[in-house]
Amino acid sequence: MTEVLASRVNRRTVGALADGAFKVLLGAACLTAAAPLGRLLGVPVWLMAASGVALLIGGGIELGYTRSRSMRTYTRLMVGYDSGWVLTGLVGLLMACRG
């Protein structure tokens, strides 16, 4: 039993679990502190709450996929999800620069 578990848990799996856990924690922080963070960053509270929900859902799905999907598929899904956040950030930056 420990041999099977040890063969499944490698550096990539630990990294994937850490990434999912970080997203869940960040999403919970965004949700619980949506009002103060929104004022600090100059964005509406609903946007902070929506970002927190998206991070919670995405992190939870990532944690679930580490057990049910191959690491190759998981890595592709993670890159796609994180690329979406990068594009969203760039669009937000462009909109902020244009006023």
Side-chain angles (χ1 to χ4, degrees):
M1 174 75 172
T2 46
E3 292 176 17
V4 172
L5 183 60
S7 67
R8 283 200 64 184
V9 178
N10 55 25
R11 292 178 77 181
R12 291 178 112 187
T13 306
V14 171
L17 290 171
D19 184 63
F22 179 76
K23 286 177 183 166
V24 167
L25 289 174
L26 186 61
C30 284
L31 268 177
T32 57
L37 280 174
R39 281 192 302 273
L40 179 68
L41 298 172
V43 297
V45 175
W46 68 266
L47 186 58
M48 288 302 301
S51 297
V53 168
L55 281 167
L56 273 173
I57 292 170
I61 289 171
E62 280 189 29
L63 290 174
Y65 276 173
T66 55
R67 292 174 49 169
S68 64
R69 304 275 179 158
S70 70
M71 281 309 292
R72 183 181 184 130
T73 302
Y74 174 82
T75 304
R76 287 181 181 167
L77 291 170
M78 188 171 55
V79 166
Y81 177 81
D82 291 343
S83 297
W85 277 104
V86 169
L87 289 175
T88 303
L90 289 174
V91 168
L93 180 65
L94 289 173
M95 289 176 63
C97 288
R98 296 186 135 240

